[in-house]
Amino acid sequence: MLKNVKHAVGKCIANAVLPNGLYCFNYHRIGEASLTEYDPNVFSCDEANFSEHMLYLKKNFTVVSIDDLSEILNGKIRDKRYALITFDDGYIDNYSKAFPILLENKIASTFFLATNFMNNAEIPWWDRIAYLVRHAQVDEVKLTNWSESIVLSKDNVSNSIRQVLDLVKVNNGSTIEEILIELEQKLQIPDTKLVDKEPLFMTWDMAREMSDAGMAFGSQTCSHRIMSHLSIEEQDHEAKASKELIEKELNTSIKAFAYPVGGKDSFTADTVKIIKKYYQISFSFISGINTSKNLDEFCIERISVDSNCNATQLSHKLLKLLLRKLHKSVWK
């Protein structure tokens, strides 16, 4: 009872003190994380909590589409508390589970696609790694360029997957392809054929249906490899080719890009120059609330929705982000 009261009070405080600005809520997968053979950490929340989030955002924010951003970023960012809903990667549950809830709530979300995965043509590298870790025949692993080994817990596979992926995302000179090969060897996987019980990613037909219903799309490259790990030529290809394919398949103009992984080390000044050639705006995965009129339109911060949080927990997360922002401004 006391816990419920505490949560309700926290939610009221958050809603009262949150500043005007652009809040970009970022989702990945919708569904039950415990049921996947791949990376459970990619799941944002289940359908019930996602539906609750949409009701909460409609009540406490002005929910906008990506087409509204030009006007908002051009001087109106402090007029209201704006909420933009985005999805990364293009998983099939974005279509089967999130899309109906978005339609029901009349919310136009933006979906960033990694085009190599469309039509389930390719299993992404992070899900391949998660599957390998799940089926490891050893208790710890250390790759050639790692400074330390990782103990693989059978009781907390999700944490083991997260630890391995955190090291993989560090640019240590190895390509994703090289890392996958070495992981298969070091983890002593008896059968490297990945399970394929059902499609992981949406099809172009699904994306077209969503586009026709008012959903927007952007690019997250072709392969979803980390841009800062690639050559200038590779980055340019990833940015240009993915945009061209999405525009061709959906018969629409694409103006937004989301950096794969999206942390501060996942893209460089050279990456931004390339993105500016093909897109009008781009989104990072750096956590924050966008309140400045001098906002960098090619590094828009987003709020990761994860851990199957409910609407109250989501409001608490926003309050923590605000407190962190205030703390930074005080100590500048």
Side-chain angles (χ1 to χ4, degrees), residues 65-80:
S65 72
I66 203 161
D67 290 333
D68 299 316
L69 287 197
S70 178
E71 185 177 7
I72 292 170
L73 297 178
N74 190 25
K76 292 192 174 184
I77 195 165
R78 293 179 183 169
D79 288 1
K80 298 178 182 178

Side-chain angles (χ1 to χ4, degrees), residues 51-67:
S51 183
E52 188 180 318
H53 294 175
M54 296 304 101
L55 293 174
Y56 165 71
L57 295 178
K58 286 174 64 176
K59 181 178 179 181
N60 296 283
F61 295 79
T62 298
V63 182
V64 296
S65 72
I66 203 161
D67 290 333

Side-chain angles (χ1 to χ4, degrees), residues 87-294:
F87 281 81
D88 283 359
D89 305 333
Y91 281 99
I92 195 167
D93 48 65
N94 293 181
Y95 169 80
S96 61
K97 296 178 179 177
F99 179 42
I101 295 170
L102 291 167
L103 284 180
E104 180 182 350
N105 286 279
K106 296 181 174 60
I107 292 175
S109 180
T110 299
F111 297 81
F112 293 100
L113 305 178
T115 55
N116 284 5
F117 308 148
M118 297 297 289
N119 290 354
N120 214 41
E122 183 180 316
I123 297 173
W125 53 267
W126 62 91
D127 276 330
R128 290 173 63 89
I129 289 171
Y131 182 82
L132 294 174
V133 172
R134 281 185 183 279
H135 296 274
Q137 302 300 299
V138 297
D139 295 326
E140 64 179 84
V141 62
K142 181 180 183 298
L143 298 193
T144 302
N145 293 327
W146 290 3
S147 60
E148 58 188 23
S149 62
I150 293 177
V151 176
L152 303 176
S153 170
K154 300 296 183 184
D155 297 324
N156 193 345
V157 177
S158 177
N159 186 58
S160 295
I161 291 170
R162 188 188 298 275
Q163 286 183 286
V164 172
L165 285 171
D166 283 346
L167 278 182
V168 168
K169 291 172 185 177
V170 177
N171 192 358
N172 56 19
S174 299
T175 66
I176 288 295
E177 293 77 11
E178 291 169 340
I179 289 170
L180 283 165
I181 291 171
E182 188 175 2
L183 267 178
E184 288 181 9
Q185 294 170 346
K186 293 286 180 68
L187 296 178
Q188 299 178 17
I189 306 299
D191 182 2
T192 58
K193 178 176 170 57
L194 300 184
V195 295
D196 190 18
K197 294 179 181 177
E198 58 184 30
L200 270 178
F201 290 88
M202 68 174 76
T203 66
W204 287 115
D205 283 342
M206 292 173 184
R208 278 188 280 272
E209 180 185 340
M210 295 167 73
S211 179
D212 290 343
M215 301 298 147
F217 289 86
S219 167
Q220 203 168 23
T221 73
C222 302
S223 67
H224 203 286
R225 289 180 294 170
I226 299 171
M227 294 290 267
S228 61
H229 295 193
L230 305 178
S231 68
I232 297 298
E233 293 74 20
E234 288 174 315
Q235 292 187 61
D236 192 276
H237 170 76
E238 292 276 354
K240 182 182 179 183
S242 57
K243 180 178 189 290
E244 290 175 345
L245 182 57
I246 296 170
E247 290 182 334
K248 176 185 175 183
E249 290 286 350
L250 302 187
N251 192 29
T252 188
S253 177
I254 299 301
K255 61 185 178 183
F257 182 88
Y259 301 106
V261 178
K264 61 183 178 62
D265 297 323
S266 65
F267 58 98
T268 66
D270 287 331
T271 308
V272 175
K273 287 180 184 178
I274 291 168
I275 298 308
K276 285 181 176 180
K277 288 167 55 179
Y278 304 112
Y279 302 90
Q280 297 175 25
I281 53 174
S282 57
F283 295 81
S284 72
F285 200 55
I286 298 169
S287 188
I289 302 167
N290 303 285
T291 57
S292 172
K293 288 186 177 180
N294 299 316

Side-chain angles (χ1 to χ4, degrees), residues 9-21:
V9 170
K11 188 175 182 180
C12 289
I13 292 173
N15 294 338
V17 302
L18 289 174
N20 289 347

Side-chain angles (χ1 to χ4, degrees), residues 31-37 40 43 134:
E32 299 291 339
S34 62
L35 302 180
T36 185
E37 280 285 334
F43 283 80
R134 281 185 183 279

